[in-house]
């Protein structure tokens, strides 16, 4: 329990610093509201001068109570820890002591997205959230599992970006905001799922047994035979299924076509692989 808490504390602190640097040093300076509560906080600070961390905390407090009631105590407490650390870091350390980037807005949007995405990814890997629209997403997913949460949250972010045009009186703020959102989503996916990505291969071949043996012996990867039936030939056939890392796909493809140049291979992206040999 103590070890888990210390790990949560370490990841949340590192994530908070990364998010705070992205928000204060890049996003705020170039007048970009990158969606979520942080985007709202940047706009409120622009209009009132109030601190970003304090505004974010104020917005998140009622959402934390809702998360505690409907999502669960563990998630709510982890998220509260992440929010408190972020508030202290951005208002007490980053804002008073770190400089803001004053160069090209496009570079600011890209690097801001990378840094924010890295921070969010660290927090997400510990089963927590930074609050705001993430909590809303969890609630919607819990009550309406059939609704695509990603699209719902994207709609909320688009509304925030649209409002930023009127707050900053600059349409480019929203356009750079799109760049920042896209960049941070790519970094988050890479951090959270990147190590568990791969390729799912379906191999239809008359030499499937030889191919399977070579995959087992040369690449140390497992494979599974699936019984199939050709619709045209009406003959039974073996479909070989194999999951590999992205970088291993080239080697498997070579093995397949060395054994059977006429083999039929379907390769799809495997977003998340859990099991022996992966994670």
């Amino acid at each position: 329990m103590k070890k888990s808490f210390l790990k949560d504390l370490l990841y949340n602190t590192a994530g908070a610093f990364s998010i705070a640097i992205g928000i204060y040093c890049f996003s705020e300076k170039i007048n970009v509201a990158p969606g979520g509560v942080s985007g709202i906080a940047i706009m409120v600070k622009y209009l009132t001068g109030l601190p970003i961390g304090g505004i974010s905390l104020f917005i998140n407090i009622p959402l934390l109570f809702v998360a505690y009631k409907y999502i669960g105590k563990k998630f709510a407490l982890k998220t509260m820890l992440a929010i408190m650390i972020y508030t202290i870091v951005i208002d007490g350390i980053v804002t008073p002591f770190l400089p803001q980037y004053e160069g090209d807005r496009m570079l600011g949007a890209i690097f801001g997205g990378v840094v924010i995405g890295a921070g969010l990814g660290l927090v997400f890997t510990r089963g927590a959230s930074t609050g705001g629209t993430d909590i809303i997403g969890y609630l919607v997913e819990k009550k309406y599992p059939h609704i695509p949460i990603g699209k719902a949250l994207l709609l909320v972010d688009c509304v925030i970006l649209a409002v930023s045009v009127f707050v900053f009186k600059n349409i480019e703020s929203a356009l750079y905001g799109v760049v920042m959102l896209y960049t941070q989503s790519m970094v988050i996916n890479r951090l959270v799922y990147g190590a568990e990505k791969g390729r799912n291969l379906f191999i239809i071949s008359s030499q499937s047994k030889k191919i399977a043996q070579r995959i087992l012996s040369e690449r140390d990867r497992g494979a599974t035979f699936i019984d199939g039936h050709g619709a045209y030939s009406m003959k039974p056939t073996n479909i070989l299924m194999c999951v590999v890392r992205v970088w291993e796909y080239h080697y498997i493809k070579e093995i397949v076509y060395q054994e059977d140049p006429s083999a039929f291979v379907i390769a799809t992206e495997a977003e998340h692989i859990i099991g022996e040999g992966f994670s």
Side-chain angles (χ1 to χ4, degrees):
M1 184 70 180
K2 184 179 179 181
K3 186 177 179 180
S4 177
F5 174 77
L6 290 174
K7 199 169 183 180
D8 286 344
L9 188 63
L10 176 64
Y11 273 66
N12 286 334
T13 302
F17 268 100
S18 189
I19 297 167
I21 289 169
I23 292 295
Y24 175 74
C25 298
F26 293 98
S27 184
E28 184 198 353
K29 185 62 180 178
I30 62 174
N31 288 342
V32 170
V37 168
S38 294
I40 297 172
I42 287 172
M43 290 189 286
V44 174
K45 182 180 180 182
Y46 180 82
L47 296 172
T48 66
L50 294 171
I52 291 175
I55 298 164
S56 300
L57 179 63
F58 179 77
I59 296 172
N60 276 311
I61 286 173
L63 291 172
L64 279 171
F65 282 108
V66 174
Y68 185 89
K69 183 176 181 180
Y70 293 103
I71 300 176
K73 179 180 178 180
K74 185 176 180 180
F75 172 80
L77 291 176
K78 282 192 171 190
T79 299
M80 182 176 69
L81 176 65
I83 292 170
M84 294 302 297
I85 293 173
Y86 169 72
T87 303
I88 294 168
V89 167
I90 192 168
D91 286 349
I93 301 173
V94 172
T95 300
F97 299 110
L98 294 188
Q100 290 183 306
Y101 175 74
E102 298 183 4
D104 182 72
R105 292 184 81 188
M106 178 60 78
L107 285 176
I110 293 172
F111 279 95
V114 169
V115 176
I116 294 170
L120 289 171
L122 287 172
V123 174
F124 291 163
T125 54
R126 295 304 299 165
S129 156
T130 53
T133 52
D134 299 328
I135 294 176
I136 296 171
Y138 277 104
L139 290 172
V140 174
E141 186 176 30
K142 190 177 180 69
K143 189 168 180 62
Y144 305 104
H146 60 283
I147 294 178
I149 305 305
K151 290 183 179 179
L153 295 181
L154 180 61
L155 179 61
V156 174
D157 289 335
C158 286
V159 170
I160 293 171
L161 288 173
V163 172
S164 73
V165 174
F166 299 98
V167 173
F168 299 125
K169 298 179 175 60
N170 186 346
I171 194 170
E172 287 187 349
S173 293
L175 299 178
Y176 287 123
V178 172
V179 173
M180 186 172 281
L181 277 174
Y182 178 77
T183 306
Q184 73 182 43
S185 68
M186 294 296 289
V187 174
I188 290 169
N189 288 337
R190 187 67 182 171
L191 273 176
V192 178
Y193 302 113
E196 298 160 1
K197 275 190 174 183
R199 292 286 184 270
N200 189 20
L201 309 179
F202 293 94
I203 304 164
I204 303 171
S205 167
S206 58
Q207 304 299 318
S208 57
K209 291 183 180 178
K210 289 184 179 179
I211 293 169
Q213 286 301 317
R214 287 191 62 183
I215 290 172
L216 289 168
S217 61
E218 295 178 26
R219 303 308 311 172
D220 196 26
R221 283 295 177 198
T224 301
F225 287 112
I226 302 173
D227 292 332
H229 205 93
Y232 178 77
S233 66
M234 300 304 292
K235 293 179 180 179
T237 184
N238 279 327
I239 301 170
L240 184 65
M241 187 187 80
C242 181
V243 181
V244 297
R245 298 284 188 198
V246 174
W247 58 269
E248 291 178 305
Y249 171 58
H250 170 73
Y251 298 102
I252 303 300
K253 191 168 67 171
E254 277 193 348
I255 290 172
V256 171
Y257 287 110
Q258 284 172 5
E259 294 295 334
D260 183 5
S262 62
F264 191 81
V265 179
I266 304 169
T268 60
E269 189 170 326
E271 282 287 339
H272 198 183
I273 310 168
I274 299 175
E276 186 177 351
F278 292 93
S279 66

